[in-house]
Amino acid sequence: MFKLSKKLQLLPPYLFLEIDKAKRKARAQGRDIIDFGIGDPDQPTPKHIIDVLAQAANDPANHHYALDQGMPLLRRAIANWYKKRFNVELDPETEILPLIGSKEGIAHLPFAFLNTGDYSLVPDPCYPPYKGGTILAGGKPYLMPLESENDFLPDLKKIPLNILKKAKLMYLNYPNNPTSATAEKDFYQKTMGFARKNKIIIASDLAYSEMTYDGYRPSSILEIKEAKDTAIEFHSLSKTYNMAGWRVGWACGNKDLIWALAKVKSNVDSGIFSAIQLAGIAALEGNQEHVSNMCSLYQERRDILIEGLNSLGWQVRPPKATFYIWIKTPKGKDSIKFADFLLEKADIIVTPGVGFGKYGEGYIRMALTVPKERISTALERLKKIM
């Protein structure tokens, strides 16, 4: 009866919805499913953050519409956190915009800058909203392959000149989802020069900057001199503070990019619930012991899983960041068929790499959001079928 818009028809099925359907169907059959699929922290939000939320939620002053640009207190807390973490100065009034989770800001950004037929340069494989936001805004994603031969970094020299002439936006994401690859300052320096030369906006997704191991500390692109000329960076409290369902993040960087994104948002949504903003302040300004404990927990799980997989001959390298393991499928098997095989034969859910893009084919992603006892059980199951 109803015909979908051409833009909506161009969108593939959202990967995680399909995984959730398969998981619910299997559990409805009474099967004991071990879920390495969606990267959703399995630990609770720290108590001091919850306590602030509870108190704030009981205050009628917080029951009204929130300011679209976010509370000044939250913007100052973000600025202070960036200064302490990256030694980057941000103006809380013009260079920071709180978001209802970084995902919506990432998806809304193309609406501010892409006209019909313009390109965004999108890494592949990637977090799906980079492509989805581009398509919904009327733009075209140009895929930058992330391949092991180049350490899962895009090769900017391979982008054709005719694409560059129409490219307005480039997405970057390091530490990377799904590959867990990392990028260093020299890469950001070269990319910044490339973007300035070609008048391209850089959108850096830094959601996993605090989820690191073995002493590794990722950089922000905003640490690069003159980065604010053309860069906007997205951050989130979801992974760092186990606040995935709370939906609070931010964009920061070039003030004109921030202003344009704020204009889009003012037309499609409203501000974050004030009580959640106050809880976000508590997260950023409170005791950070939780963050180091979180990293230790995921590192322990990482080591158990990788040691077990390597004992099966999978040859997996431990990532320095994120809570994802990016694994080649055995003998180059089709990623969807291999994921289906693991669900059918071992009651294990993984994410097929092709769901993140065509260059993800031949890989699966496993999230470390599973207790170590369940990881050991999963490894025992894999031994029986591999």
Side-chain angles (χ1 to χ4, degrees), residues 254-271:
N254 178 281
K255 64 180 182 179
D256 295 325
L257 302 181
I258 293 296
W259 176 87
L261 178 58
K263 186 172 183 179
V264 173
K265 281 176 55 59
S266 68
N267 282 278
V268 297
D269 63 40
S270 298

Side-chain angles (χ1 to χ4, degrees), residues 236-310:
S236 168
L237 302 185
S238 294
K239 307 301 192 297
T240 306
Y241 299 102
N242 297 339
M243 296 174 68
W246 298 54
R247 309 317 304 144
V248 55
W250 68 84
C252 57
N254 178 281
K255 64 180 182 179
D256 295 325
L257 302 181
I258 293 296
W259 176 87
L261 178 58
K263 186 172 183 179
V264 173
K265 281 176 55 59
S266 68
N267 282 278
V268 297
D269 63 40
S270 298
I272 307 163
F273 178 36
S274 296
I276 290 180
Q277 294 192 58
L278 292 168
I281 295 168
L284 292 167
E285 295 184 344
N287 189 316
Q288 300 297 300
E289 184 179 1
H290 152 78
V291 180
S292 59
N293 290 341
M294 170 196 68
C295 292
S296 296
L297 174 69
Y298 288 129
Q299 181 167 329
E300 181 182 25
R301 294 175 179 181
R302 178 201 70 170
D303 294 344
I304 292 170
L305 180 58
I306 288 180
E307 181 180 351
L309 294 176
N310 286 341

Side-chain angles (χ1 to χ4, degrees), residues 168-362:
K168 300 292 180 62
L169 175 64
M170 177 196 298
Y171 284 105
L172 298 176
N173 172 216
Y174 295 98
N176 183 261
N177 173 25
T179 70
S180 71
T182 54
E184 308 309 324
K185 285 186 179 180
D186 61 339
F187 167 78
Y188 286 136
Q189 189 77 56
K190 293 174 184 176
T191 306
M192 186 57 59
F194 175 88
R196 286 167 59 85
K197 177 182 177 181
N198 293 286
K199 298 180 180 179
I200 294 171
I201 298 162
I202 294 180
S204 170
D205 180 357
L206 197 60
Y208 297 92
S209 70
E210 308 311 295
M211 188 172 288
T212 62
Y213 317 113
D214 306 316
Y216 178 68
R217 295 284 279 173
S219 298
S220 161
I221 198 170
L222 296 180
E223 293 179 59
I224 304 302
K225 186 179 179 181
E226 300 177 337
K228 285 186 187 178
D229 288 353
T230 188
I232 184 170
E233 192 154 74
F234 293 89
H235 218 294
S236 168
L237 302 185
S238 294
K239 307 301 192 297
T240 306
Y241 299 102
N242 297 339
M243 296 174 68
W246 298 54
R247 309 317 304 144
V248 55
W250 68 84
C252 57
N254 178 281
K255 64 180 182 179
D256 295 325
L257 302 181
I258 293 296
W259 176 87
L261 178 58
K263 186 172 183 179
V264 173
K265 281 176 55 59
S266 68
N267 282 278
V268 297
D269 63 40
S270 298
I272 307 163
F273 178 36
S274 296
I276 290 180
Q277 294 192 58
L278 292 168
I281 295 168
L284 292 167
E285 295 184 344
N287 189 316
Q288 300 297 300
E289 184 179 1
H290 152 78
V291 180
S292 59
N293 290 341
M294 170 196 68
C295 292
S296 296
L297 174 69
Y298 288 129
Q299 181 167 329
E300 181 182 25
R301 294 175 179 181
R302 178 201 70 170
D303 294 344
I304 292 170
L305 180 58
I306 288 180
E307 181 180 351
L309 294 176
N310 286 341
S311 72
L312 298 174
W314 287 31
Q315 299 181 341
V316 184
R317 291 190 300 175
K320 294 190 292 185
T322 80
F323 56 8
Y324 302 120
I325 311 294
W326 189 238
I327 306 164
K328 281 190 175 182
T329 57
K331 298 179 181 178
K333 290 183 179 179
D334 176 283
S335 62
I336 291 179
K337 290 181 180 178
F338 187 60
D340 289 342
F341 169 77
L342 294 180
L343 177 57
E344 180 64 28
K345 299 298 183 182
D347 289 334
I348 292 172
I349 289 181
V350 300
T351 306
V354 74
F356 297 101
K358 69 177 184 178
Y359 292 99
E361 184 54 271

Side-chain angles (χ1 to χ4, degrees), residues 28-88:
Q29 295 169 350
R31 294 159 60 186
D32 178 25
I33 299 299
I34 301 178
D35 185 4
F36 292 97
I38 299 174
D40 187 357
D42 63 310
Q43 298 297 299
T45 305
K47 184 177 183 301
H48 71 278
I49 300 173
I50 298 172
D51 288 345
V52 169
L53 173 72
Q55 182 177 358
N58 278 302
D59 183 350
N62 295 320
H63 298 172
H64 304 287
Y65 285 119
L67 295 173
D68 285 349
Q69 67 268 38
M71 287 182 172
L73 283 174
L74 176 58
R75 285 184 272 118
R76 285 197 291 271
I78 292 168
N80 291 337
W81 185 87
Y82 247 79
K83 174 64 177 176
K84 183 177 180 180
R85 173 63 177 85
F86 299 111
N87 197 30
V88 170

